[in-house]
Amino acid sequence: MNQPTSPARTSAEPAEPRADRRAWLGLGVLAAGLSMIVVDGTIVGVALPVIVTDLGLDLTDAQWVNSAYSVMFAALLLTAGRLGDRLGRRGMFIAGVLIFLAGSGLAAMAGTATALIASRIVQGVGGACVLPATLSSVNATFRGRDRIVAFAVWGAVISGMAAVGPLLGGALTTYLSWRWIFLVNVPIGIAVLAGAVLVVRETRAAVTEPGLDVDGLLLSALGFGGVVFALIEGQRLGWWRPLSGQSPISPVPIIGLLGALSLALFVVWERHRARRGRSAISDLSLFSFPTFSWGNLTALTVAIGEFGLLLVLPLFLVNAVGLTTMGAGLVLAAMALGAFASGAAARHVATLLGAPRTVVAGLVLEALGVAAIALCVSPTVSRWLLAGLLAVYGAGLGLASAQLTGTVLVDVPPEKSGQGSATQSTVRQLGAALGAAVLGAVLSTGLAHDVSARLDTVDHLPPAVAHGLVTATRESAGGAISGLRAQGDTGRFGPAGPRITSALADGFADATRAALFTASGFLLLGLVSATVLAVRSRDTGDRSPAGDRDPRSDEGS
């Protein structure tokens, strides 16, 4: 009896669509634009000690320089993605690069803290337009195996270039000026604009829901801004009674509460629009998938730990350890090396362990690396030891970042993959803002306590002088330590100068240790949620990160 055989592929059966040369060139342009905005999220940290001294910033200002970019990025990301779907992704990408370049130019010319923070807000608007446009363009342009490769490139840029930022910032600040960390974007951005016009294809989505969710945009911006404002300004303005004592209550808890209420109203409003079949900037129904909700919680906690680390460590390395900006950048570059190495190997590791367990393995390395750094922190710590531990942390970052997106989106329907990806990017940017805010607040509180305790061990130091030193160290984000170190025993404190400097550096190290343990705690929370995610996830196998969308869901033009 004849056995049934599988039907052979006929010439009428459609072959898997393959990308052409223009599509791959376009991917290179999109990756370059993405690299520019990702690097900008981390390049500033290592230059902060120099910027603090040059512009006379305090620690709160330094936190805002980091957070303003991320807050605006998070607030506008979903809306910018929806606009790109409607109006055209290439057009939104080009508009975003132009806005980002304008913000970069303004930042390079900034002469005050207010001007620099405002410039960072403009950069955040541009970045929010660029990132979803790159992801959606990749999703619309590539199919099948080509899409897997394209998403791998996109994920490698996200994880790798974030780690490159500190090294690039250290080199530009040391050999040119801190202003070049912004000016360097101009020639790169011009080249990206030319490439976008020449080789990036315009694509749009078939959006059927009517209306633009302006109210949702405003509520999300007010919510994110209010919560981050409270976390950052609480140390300067007071958490309850203002530090100046000129009014009965601090504005901090009021603005923080309004921010929390705005976020709650945002959730209610988005559900209301979804029930009525109108366009919403966030599809909250995606959180009904356990893999999506747990995965985003993991992404949030990882970003808090990562970006908080990039605020605290450069200040410690330059001010407490006494490294140059370039020296600090070289130490932090070990994180980039670890991330690149593990990111390249992540696909092979995922083949053995599965993507969810690869994320868990990465978070184990991240949490252990940061906890080990916290235990070793001191003004005399070996830079080689720090670099080695940062490489361990970077290796975990590369493993987790490379596989997290695909794991989060594994159960999301293909037609909603764009919304899912944009939501995860928003969560990551919110985590970046919260990381700088939370760890900056822990550092500020620690400086007030730990520096004072260390100065108590210096003999014959009047309390008023000690209080002034604590205030100066806290308000300068540690910059006062570098000034006293440069004076040696010839400054206003005479022979006691080196002892005072040593006490201040020890106190700064104590405060840094507390901040790093806080970062490790957030990473442990991420590890718990990633473990739940691994249990809830189906093994992703060879499935592409965002699924293979139906080509009919996007219209190329």
Side-chain angles (χ1 to χ4, degrees), residues 92-335:
M92 184 61 67
F93 177 79
I94 291 173
V97 172
L98 287 171
I99 295 170
F100 183 83
L101 291 183
S104 298
L106 292 172
M109 296 184 293
T112 65
T114 301
L116 182 57
I117 292 167
S119 303
R120 294 286 282 164
I121 291 174
V122 175
Q123 283 188 304
V125 174
C129 296
V130 169
L131 189 143
T134 62
L135 181 62
S136 297
S137 294
V138 170
N139 206 33
T141 303
F142 294 91
R143 296 284 181 266
R145 287 174 293 176
D146 288 341
R147 174 177 285 170
I148 297 175
V149 175
F151 270 110
V153 171
W154 194 87
V157 168
I158 286 285
S159 59
M161 297 310 294
V164 164
L167 178 60
L168 183 59
L172 292 173
T173 302
T174 299
Y175 298 116
L176 294 171
S177 160
W178 65 263
R179 298 183 186 276
W180 274 94
I181 66 177
F182 302 111
L183 283 175
V184 74
N185 293 324
V186 177
I188 298 174
I190 291 174
V192 168
L193 288 172
V197 172
L198 292 173
V199 299
V200 176
R201 291 187 172 97
E202 182 67 282
T203 62
R204 294 178 177 87
V207 179
T208 58
E209 300 90 350
L212 287 176
D213 189 7
V214 177
D215 293 334
L217 166 64
L218 295 175
L219 286 171
S220 64
L222 289 172
F224 292 146
V227 171
V228 173
F229 175 91
L231 289 171
I232 292 179
E233 294 290 344
Q235 298 301 314
R236 179 159 62 181
L237 300 180
W239 283 101
W240 186 249
R241 184 178 297 278
L243 297 180
S244 62
Q246 295 178 356
S247 59
I249 189 171
S250 169
V252 169
I254 297 175
I255 295 176
L257 180 60
L258 288 175
L261 289 175
S262 296
L263 290 177
L265 286 174
F266 171 74
V267 172
V268 173
W269 177 250
E270 295 303 286
R271 288 178 172 173
H272 167 72
R273 288 186 68 87
R275 284 196 300 269
R276 296 187 61 189
R278 298 187 63 80
S279 175
I281 66 172
S282 180
D283 187 352
L284 298 179
S285 67
L286 295 178
F287 287 94
S288 63
F289 299 106
T291 50
F292 188 79
S293 56
W294 284 103
N296 275 292
L297 178 59
T298 303
L300 176 69
T301 54
V302 168
I304 290 175
E306 176 186 355
F307 285 89
L309 192 77
L310 290 174
L311 169 71
V312 171
L313 270 184
L315 295 173
F316 164 74
L317 291 171
V318 172
N319 295 324
V321 179
L323 298 183
T324 63
T325 305
M326 186 62 197
L330 287 171
V331 171
L332 293 170
M335 180 171 63

Side-chain angles (χ1 to χ4, degrees), residues 24 27 60 74 77 86 105 137 167-168 237 255 301 343 353 385 438 442 451 464 469 474 493 517 543:
W24 291 113
L27 176 63
T60 302
L77 192 61
R86 288 174 176 270
S137 294
L167 178 60
L168 183 59
L237 300 180
I255 295 176
T301 54
L353 301 180
L385 175 60
V438 173
V442 173
V451 172
L469 287 168
R474 185 178 178 184
F493 295 109
F517 274 130
R543 294 169 68 180

Side-chain angles (χ1 to χ4, degrees), residues 8-37:
R9 179 184 293 271
T10 66
S11 58
E13 189 173 340
E16 180 182 90
R18 300 306 300 270
D20 59 11
R21 181 171 179 269
R22 182 180 175 183
W24 291 113
L25 289 173
L27 176 63
V29 172
L30 294 171
L34 179 63
S35 297
M36 192 169 58
I37 65 164

